[in-house]
């Protein structure tokens, strides 16, 4: 099936016969997409569930318009299983996943895709969107048997403990409880400063979960003496029941005012509220509310709710501790990686990418600083490991190197590195490290010169303005920390106008599945092709195209480019 023609707005219109492919009288959201993923037709339920008019859907790329990740950001096409099934021409299903509504909110939907032709790339597909399992036929929470309760608790433990992302954990908690137990889920969290934030409000509407961002945000402080259910839960008291009448009297606090507003906006007639406890502190509270379901919560429902929040609390506590560690690590890394100096006439850029499974820091580093008015030092290095210990060792090596280089600005790079190697053996808690120390200065002939020594590090890459490349393999010596004390060589090269010099760590060119020789060849070829790019783009694209997939190492890059002839 093709989408042909265009309207006044430039969007595609469905071609002949498209509408006939749309099943009639289907009580679910159905989209017809062409072979490229553009929406050719949508039924009324799809318009209602997705919050878009027919005109807003038809002609648009379904992935770009609708598909989102757990943070509400556009999902990369390479991670979209729905699109992969479409392009492969095969039946597929998945979810629940997040889809963007026309009003800016998100809904969590499962999907089922059926190709319209057995030939991949032809005919497009039908896409069925539906809500997560667990609702009765009328959309109300179905009664749970004892076996169902045990299954729900087991699923809560499994799903909540399998993520260390707080936002994702909150959305999973809402999806576990709505619509099985209620048609509203409200999660209030306490911050480290004991401030309250309404972190998530989810509604079960028209068969799907809808996030109500208009009801989320900061909340008044927790009153210490209030007997109101939410205030008590946020102080860690036992779970309790609530309803609109609970908050009809004169409010005793700002939280009571917000709760009255919540019941009025949501039409909840019954709610159950339980504290979410971590190992040491109260983290927040979960409110489950019923509006469409006639049955009210009873005291018999509270033990299950408390079991759920107990499991959720442990998972959220772990996620918070992990994110706190990441914040400490990121702060440490931010202070360890320096601002680049300004070298008149020379463009200089740096990049650092942490190891994906470490604490966002590692032993790779770059540095650049002025030695004299006309000479700058350039450093790239790698301390063994990619964790906080490696980062701490890296900081020791970097600071000692700066001190030695500043105290001997006219010394050869090899002499400075030899002094550093001797100090590493006796002072720094570093097992082994590699590095390149180079200096950059401008000669009387107006050309820039690079002088360097290499302590066991991958060689610098030179890229001429016309795309010729060569590795600077001279001045290669042993790595730091061996204790061998062998002499270190120096080398110098003249940088012609428009030359790019790239210093990098081995995470850019090596991984368990790729040898360093393969990586060096890949880096050389891509750098040659990118010689004409501005230096920012040169660095970004190299990282994207050269860094091996599945690499578990961090990467540091330092690049400079001398002025051109024009």
């Amino acid at each position: 099936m093709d989408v042909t023609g265009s309207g006044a707005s430039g969007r595609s219109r469905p071609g002949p016969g498209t509408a006939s492919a749309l099943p009639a009288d289907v009580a679910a959201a159905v989209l017809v997409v062409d072979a490229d993923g553009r929406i050719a037709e949508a039924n009324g339920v799809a318009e209602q569930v997705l919050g878009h008019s027919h005109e807003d859907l038809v002609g648009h790329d379904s992935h770009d318009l609708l598909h989102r990740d757990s943070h509400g950001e556009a999902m990369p096409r390479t991670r979209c299983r729905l699109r992969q099934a479409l392009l492969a021409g095969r039946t597929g299903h998945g979810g629940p996943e997040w889809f963007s509504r026309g009003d800016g909110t998100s809904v969590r939907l499962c999907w089922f895709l059926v190709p319209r032709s057995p030939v991949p790339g032809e005919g497009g597909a039908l896409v069925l969107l539906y809500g997560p399992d667990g609702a009765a036929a009328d959309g109300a929470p179905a009664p749970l048997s004892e076996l169902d309760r045990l299954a729900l608790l087991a699923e809560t433990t499994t799903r909540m403990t399998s993520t260390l992302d707080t936002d994702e954990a909150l959305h999973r908690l809402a999806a576990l409880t709505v619509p099985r137990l209620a048609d509203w889920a409200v999660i209030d969290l306490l911050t480290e400063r004991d401030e309250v934030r309404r972190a998530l409000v989810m509604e079960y509407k028209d068969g799907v979960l809808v996030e109500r961002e208009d009801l989320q945000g900061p909340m008044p402080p927790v009153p210490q003496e209030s007997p109101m259910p939410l205030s008590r839960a946020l102080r860690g008291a036992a779970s309790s029941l609530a309803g609109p009448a609970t908050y009809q009297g004169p409010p005793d606090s700002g939280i009571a005012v917000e709760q009255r507003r919540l019941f009025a906006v949501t039409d909840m007639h019954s709610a159950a509220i339980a504290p979410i406890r971590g190992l040491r502190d109260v983290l927040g509270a979960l409110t489950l509310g019923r509006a469409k379901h006639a049955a009210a919560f009873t005291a018999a429902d509270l033990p299950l709710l408390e079991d759920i929040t107990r499991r959720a609390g442990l998972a959220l506590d772990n996620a918070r501790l992990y994110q706190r560690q990441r914040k400490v690590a990121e702060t440490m890394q931010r202070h360890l990686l320096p601002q680049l100096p300004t070298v008149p006439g020379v463009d200089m850029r740096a990049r650092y990418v942490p190891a994906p499974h470490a604490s966002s820091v590692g032993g790779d580093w770059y540095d650049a600083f002025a030695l004299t008015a006309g000479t700058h030092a350039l450093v790239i290095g790698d301390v063994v490991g990619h964790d906080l210990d490696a980062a701490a060792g890296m900081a020791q090596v970097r600071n000692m190197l700066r001190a030695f280089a500043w105290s001997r600005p006219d010394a050869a790079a090899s002499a400075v590195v030899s002094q550093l190697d001797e100090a590493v053996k006796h002072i720094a808690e570093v097992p082994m490290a590699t590095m390149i120390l180079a200096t950059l200065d401008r000669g009387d002939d107006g050309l820039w010169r690079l002088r360097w020594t290499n302590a066991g590090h991958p060689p610098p890459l030179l890229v001429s303005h016309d795309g010729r490349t060569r590795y600077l393999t001279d001045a290669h010596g042993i790595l730091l920390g061996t204790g061998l004390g062998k002499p270190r060589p120096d080398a110098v090269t003249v940088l012609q106008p428009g030359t790019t010099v790239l210093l990098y760590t081995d995470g850019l060119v090596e991984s368990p599945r790729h040898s360093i020789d393969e990586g060096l060849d890949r880096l050389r070829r891509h750098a040659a092709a990118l010689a004409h790019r501005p230096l920012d783009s040169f660095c970004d694209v190299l990282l994207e195209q050269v860094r091996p997939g599945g690499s578990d190492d961090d990467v540091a890059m330092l690049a400079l480019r001398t002025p051109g002839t024009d």
Side-chain angles (χ1 to χ4, degrees):
M1 175 192 64
D2 294 324
V3 175
T4 59
S6 61
S9 63
R11 293 182 299 167
S12 301
R13 294 195 305 264
T18 296
S20 63
L22 193 61
D25 302 324
V26 175
V30 181
L31 301 175
V32 178
V33 297
D34 69 8
D36 295 321
R38 294 191 303 271
I39 300 172
E41 190 55 77
N43 69 352
V45 179
E47 296 172 28
Q48 183 180 19
V49 168
L50 297 172
H52 287 279
S53 67
H54 187 267
E55 291 73 20
D56 289 337
L57 291 169
V58 172
H60 284 288
D61 185 286
S62 58
H63 176 85
D64 294 345
L65 178 66
L66 302 174
H67 218 167
R68 298 293 182 265
D69 63 16
S70 60
H71 301 288
E73 302 295 332
M75 175 182 286
R77 292 183 172 223
T78 55
R79 288 173 43 199
C80 180
R81 293 189 298 142
L82 191 157
R83 184 172 179 81
Q84 292 169 4
L86 171 67
L87 296 179
R90 56 178 171 78
T91 300
H93 61 87
E97 297 172 8
W98 291 103
F99 292 81
S100 177
R101 287 172 49 86
D103 59 3
T105 61
S106 299
V107 298
R108 212 168 196 200
L109 302 170
C110 299
W111 56 267
F112 185 81
L113 180 144
V114 181
R116 298 187 63 216
S117 167
V119 181
E122 295 184 8
L126 295 179
V127 180
L128 177 70
L129 301 174
Y130 56 96
D133 293 333
D138 60 356
L144 296 183
S145 66
E146 187 61 29
L147 185 60
D148 292 332
R149 288 171 179 255
L150 294 174
L152 174 57
L153 293 176
E155 185 180 0
T156 300
T157 300
T158 301
R159 299 202 62 195
M160 294 295 295
T161 57
S162 62
T163 180
L164 289 174
D165 183 279
T166 300
D167 289 338
E168 175 64 20
L170 296 180
H171 283 91
R172 291 185 181 187
L173 177 57
L176 284 163
T177 53
V178 176
R180 294 183 188 181
L181 304 177
D183 38 36
W184 284 90
V186 181
I187 303 174
D188 297 292
L189 293 183
L190 291 165
T191 69
E192 293 181 355
R193 297 185 176 183
D194 288 331
E195 296 170 347
V196 184
R197 179 173 63 92
R198 183 144 282 172
L200 185 66
V201 179
M202 298 292 288
E203 175 189 10
Y204 189 67
K205 183 178 181 181
D206 299 324
V208 295
L209 281 174
V210 180
E211 183 172 353
R212 291 291 299 270
E213 295 181 359
D214 57 310
L215 299 177
Q216 299 171 182
M219 293 277 285
V222 181
Q224 291 304 312
E225 304 299 331
S226 172
M228 293 291 114
L230 179 58
S231 299
R232 294 180 68 249
L234 291 171
R235 296 198 305 266
S239 58
S240 57
L241 304 175
T246 308
Y247 292 95
Q248 286 307 309
D252 66 350
S253 64
I255 280 188
V257 174
E258 289 298 321
Q259 285 296 88
R260 178 190 293 177
R261 172 175 171 258
L262 177 70
F263 277 93
V265 171
T266 62
D267 289 328
M268 290 191 299
H269 63 79
S270 177
I273 305 174
I276 301 174
R277 296 186 181 91
L279 290 174
R280 292 168 296 276
D281 305 308
V282 178
L283 305 180
L286 170 64
T287 299
L288 297 182
R290 291 178 177 174
K292 299 175 184 176
H293 186 33
F297 281 107
T298 68
D301 296 311
L302 296 181
L304 175 62
L305 179 58
E306 290 174 349
D307 277 341
I308 291 172
T309 56
R310 188 179 303 114
R311 287 163 168 79
L314 293 175
L316 287 172
D317 213 11
N318 287 336
R320 279 191 170 184
L321 289 172
Y322 175 75
Q323 291 183 343
R324 190 176 298 130
Q325 181 186 19
R326 286 182 64 91
K327 185 176 180 179
V328 170
E330 288 165 1
T331 301
M332 182 178 180
Q333 190 74 53
R334 188 166 57 250
H335 288 288
L336 292 177
L337 297 178
Q339 295 292 320
L340 297 180
T342 299
V343 182
V346 175
D347 194 6
M348 191 180 301
R349 296 290 187 271
R351 296 290 186 270
Y352 177 79
V353 180
H357 303 301
S359 299
S360 293
V361 296
D364 291 17
W365 91 96
Y366 61 84
D367 203 357
F369 51 92
L371 291 173
T372 66
T375 304
H376 285 77
L378 310 173
V379 185
I380 195 81
D382 184 359
V383 171
V384 173
H386 40 77
D387 52 23
L388 287 173
D389 289 337
M394 174 266 283
Q396 291 179 305
V397 172
R398 190 201 73 164
N399 292 337
M400 287 193 297
L401 176 62
R402 278 196 167 209
F404 294 152
W406 269 330
S407 66
R408 305 172 63 188
D410 298 323
S414 60
V416 175
V417 173
S418 294
Q419 185 179 7
L420 175 66
D421 193 9
E422 187 68 22
V424 164
K425 290 186 295 183
H426 301 290
I427 301 176
E429 299 175 2
V430 174
M432 285 187 295
T434 68
M435 64 168 294
I436 293 173
L437 172 62
T439 60
L440 181 70
D441 62 83
R442 194 171 189 178
D444 295 336
D445 56 2
L447 296 177
W448 293 87
R449 283 167 174 77
L450 187 75
R451 310 171 196 275
W452 77 95
T453 189
N454 188 331
H457 201 81
L461 177 64
L462 250 61
V463 186
S464 67
H465 69 92
D466 58 1
R468 288 174 293 171
T469 62
R470 69 183 176 99
Y471 283 106
L472 301 181
T473 56
D474 298 331
H476 201 88
I478 60 174
L479 71 168
L480 304 178
T482 64
L484 298 178
K486 291 186 176 181
R488 297 185 177 278
D490 288 283
V492 60
T493 188
V494 176
L495 304 179
Q496 297 299 320
T499 296
T500 301
V501 180
L502 179 67
L503 308 176
Y504 54 93
T505 56
D506 59 359
L508 181 65
V509 293
E510 187 178 26
S511 75
R513 296 193 300 272
H514 299 84
S515 71
I516 193 168
D517 289 336
E518 293 173 336
L520 290 173
D521 183 61
R522 186 169 60 251
L523 173 59
R524 179 191 59 76
R525 289 186 287 107
H526 282 285
L530 298 169
H532 65 289
R533 292 279 191 105
L535 200 55
D536 266 326
S537 176
F538 176 88
C539 293
D540 291 337
V541 177
L542 275 185
L543 274 174
E544 178 184 340
Q545 296 183 350
V546 176
R547 189 186 188 199
S551 173
D552 61 353
D553 202 359
D554 47 347
V555 177
M557 288 172 47
L558 180 62
L560 65 91
R561 181 172 292 165
T562 58
T565 55
D566 47 8

